[in-house]
């Protein structure tokens, strides 16, 4: 029988096929947004022509944010004082009605080669095949665009996670099941990411992809461990830079013990346990 580790090696080689779904899925999402938006607008009871005259209520998220900023001295948490939060005209519940599921962020953390990207891509595929809007933010992918100005110093790693947390929060707020696959080695940075979601009452689930360093190094899908061992790559997590394991993650998965399909099942069951109820497709995930 094929071992979990060899299964993961095969899945690392198949990632391009999974990513190829992206272009077709974006067309589906675009079509759904165009056809559903008029319904959502009508259900809100607000005339689009008069939307600019709507002011946030005293208990709306924007009003609470403005109050919080004012209590800190007029926007002390930002570089500019000349900004005011612009409230949405739809509630989270109305967005949920459109997407069919409330948004949530699944934050997958672990060593390079632990299987974060593999499991994350499979979870995304599983959720979309189940009819739920999902999107994966991957550690390498975001460095080609949004975070291309960042390196791997401690300060840059912190800023990398800060930006991704804010982006993932926006996705979650609009009803997307968002999967973040990032080494995110520092516990304080992951805690800060969690706080971004907590202040707006948005679901955030930390998933620790826990594998021994020797297993991750034996996989070495990018050849980075070898470079680090040869002294050609400095500050590499697990070799000459620290990884601080989560203390209380919502879920721990072990990709060297369980198959990729079983890891997906564990993530889906975790979501259901916390009130996010994506259906389990038995044709894409093995039955227990």
């Amino acid at each position: 029988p094929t071992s979990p580790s060899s299964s993961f090696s095969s899945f690392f080689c198949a990632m391009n096929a999974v990513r190829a779904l992206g272009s077709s899925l974006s067309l589906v999402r675009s079509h759904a947004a165009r056809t559903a938006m008029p319904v959502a607008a009508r259900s809100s009871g607000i005339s689009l022509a008069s939307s600019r005259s709507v002011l946030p209520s005293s208990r709306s998220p924007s009003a609470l944010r403005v109050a919080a900023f004012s209590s800190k001295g007029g926007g002390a948490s930002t570089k500019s004082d000349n900004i005011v939060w612009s409230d949405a005209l739809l509630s989270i519940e109305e967005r949920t009605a459109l997407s069919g599921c409330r948004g949530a962020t699944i934050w997958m953390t672990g060593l390079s080669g632990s299987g974060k990207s593999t499991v994350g891509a499979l979870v995304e595929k599983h959720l979309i095949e189940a009819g739920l809007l999902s999107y994966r933010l991957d550690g390498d992918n975001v460095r080609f665009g949004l975070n291309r100005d960042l390196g791997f110093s401690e300060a840059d790693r912190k800023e990398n996670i800060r930006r991704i947390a804010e982006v993932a929060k926006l996705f979650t707020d609009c009803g997307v099941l968002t999967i973040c696959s990032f080494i995110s080695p520092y516990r304080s940075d992951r805690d800060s990411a969690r706080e971004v979601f907590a202040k707006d009452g948005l679901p955030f689930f930390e998933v620790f992809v826990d594998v021994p360093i020797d297993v991750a190094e034996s996989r070495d899908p990018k050849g980075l461990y070898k470079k680090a061992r040869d002294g050609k790559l400095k500050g590499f997590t697990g070799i000459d830079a620290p990884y601080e394991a989560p203390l209380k993650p919502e879920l721990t998965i072990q990709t060297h013990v369980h198959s990729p399909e079983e890891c997906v099942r564990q993530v889906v069951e975790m979501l259901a346990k916390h009130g996010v109820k994506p259906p389990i497709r038995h044709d894409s995930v093995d039955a227990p």
Side-chain angles (χ1 to χ4, degrees), residues 3-31:
S3 69
S5 291
S6 62
S7 295
F8 267 90
S9 296
S10 299
F11 272 99
F12 276 121
C13 296
M15 289 304 299
N16 285 338
V18 176
R19 294 190 182 104
L21 291 169
S23 59
S24 60
L25 290 175
S26 65
L27 293 175
V28 172
R29 290 167 182 157
S30 176
H31 174 73

Side-chain angles (χ1 to χ4, degrees), residues 108 116-117 136-144 147 152 160-161 164 179-184 222:
M108 308 191 76
K116 302 179 302 298
S117 294
R136 180 176 62 98
L137 298 169
D138 184 78
D140 279 4
N141 293 358
V142 299
R143 287 179 177 273
F144 284 97
N147 292 347
F152 289 90
N160 182 55
I161 297 307
I164 294 307
I179 301 128
C180 295
S181 301
F182 292 83
I183 294 174
S184 42
K222 307 170 191 174

